Amino acid sequence: MNKNRLEAFSDGVLAIIITIMILEIKVPNSNSFESLKPLIPVFLSYVLSFAYVGIYWNNHHHIFQAVKQVNGKVLWGNLFLLFWLSLIPFATSWIGSQHFSAVPMSCYGFILFMCGLSYTILVKKIIKLEGKNSLLAKVTQKDYKGRISLVFYLLGISLAFVSVWISGLLYFAVALFWIVPNMRIEKEIIKYN
């Protein structure tokens, strides 16, 4: 099965997710700078979530550079990832409108955790299809970033009830881990070509 349709569909879904997030930011009723002040938490939640969606798009693109084929299990794994990513606009709107309070931050972390878990599942399904000697298997065999990310999400979920600042810093730290995609993929692709 050709991977191009999967990539095109995923790109479209991610573009819609970003569009929904920006549409959640309502224009103020006034023309003063003061009227922008209540939008600061909404804007900050948008920036964090935009970064996350961008990171997933970038890393998704990188792993599919290393993929030769897909099957039904990979398609379902990809849909599972897209499902959780599609919940980011809801969580983004909630944390922004509630000024990063504990319950919304915990739910936001749960959605991020499920995005990370579903990404891991997708990678494992691809490796199962392509084999343990595949390019993707080689570059992801020591997935420390993935494991640390899942732990940070779980900590952020529970610590949201202690300090939303700590929770937010953990989510921000994970975003920083992933801002640069797995460069080993690019190096290995250059070797193969």
Side-chain angles (χ1 to χ4, degrees), residues 1 11 44 46 76 102 119 123 143 147 182 186:
M1 194 178 297
D11 287 349
L44 291 175
Y46 170 77
W76 281 110
Y119 182 85
V123 169
D143 184 24
R147 291 185 200 123
N182 188 339
E186 288 184 7

Side-chain angles (χ1 to χ4, degrees), residues 111-125:
I111 290 169
L112 293 177
F113 173 81
M114 291 306 297
C115 289
L117 182 64
S118 59
Y119 182 85
T120 302
I121 291 169
L122 174 62
V123 169
K124 290 188 182 306
K125 289 193 178 304

Side-chain angles (χ1 to χ4, degrees), residues 172-188:
F172 182 72
V174 174
L176 287 179
F177 287 159
W178 288 97
I179 222 75
V180 176
N182 188 339
M183 298 310 291
R184 293 186 332 219
I185 291 175
E186 288 184 7
K187 289 176 187 172
E188 289 294 323

Side-chain angles (χ1 to χ4, degrees), residues 97-155:
S97 68
Q98 298 304 309
H99 301 264
F100 300 91
S101 61
V103 172
M105 283 294 279
S106 179
C107 288
Y108 186 74
F110 176 74
I111 290 169
L112 293 177
F113 173 81
M114 291 306 297
C115 289
L117 182 64
S118 59
Y119 182 85
T120 302
I121 291 169
L122 174 62
V123 169
K124 290 188 182 306
K125 289 193 178 304
I126 293 168
I127 291 170
K128 188 172 182 181
L129 174 65
E130 296 208 330
K132 293 180 181 175
N133 293 323
S134 67
L135 173 61
L136 191 59
K138 288 178 187 175
V139 298
T140 60
Q141 66 187 8
K142 295 177 183 175
D143 184 24
Y144 299 121
K145 281 195 328 185
R147 291 185 200 123
I148 290 169
S149 299
L150 294 175
V151 169
F152 274 32
Y153 290 142
L154 290 174
L155 286 171

Side-chain angles (χ1 to χ4, degrees), residues 7 20 30 47 58 74 78 93 102 112 120 124 157 172 175 179:
E7 290 178 291
I20 291 169
S30 170
V47 169
N58 199 343
V74 172
N78 192 66
S93 181
L112 293 177
T120 302
K124 290 188 182 306
I157 292 165
F172 182 72
I179 222 75

Side-chain angles (χ1 to χ4, degrees), residues 64-80:
F64 276 93
Q65 281 184 326
V67 171
K68 292 184 173 106
Q69 60 186 343
V70 297
N71 64 7
K73 290 180 181 180
V74 172
L75 292 176
W76 281 110
N78 192 66
L79 278 174
F80 189 57

Side-chain angles (χ1 to χ4, degrees), residues 85-96:
L85 287 171
S86 74
L87 292 174
I88 288 178
F90 162 76
T92 303
S93 181
W94 199 20
I95 63 173

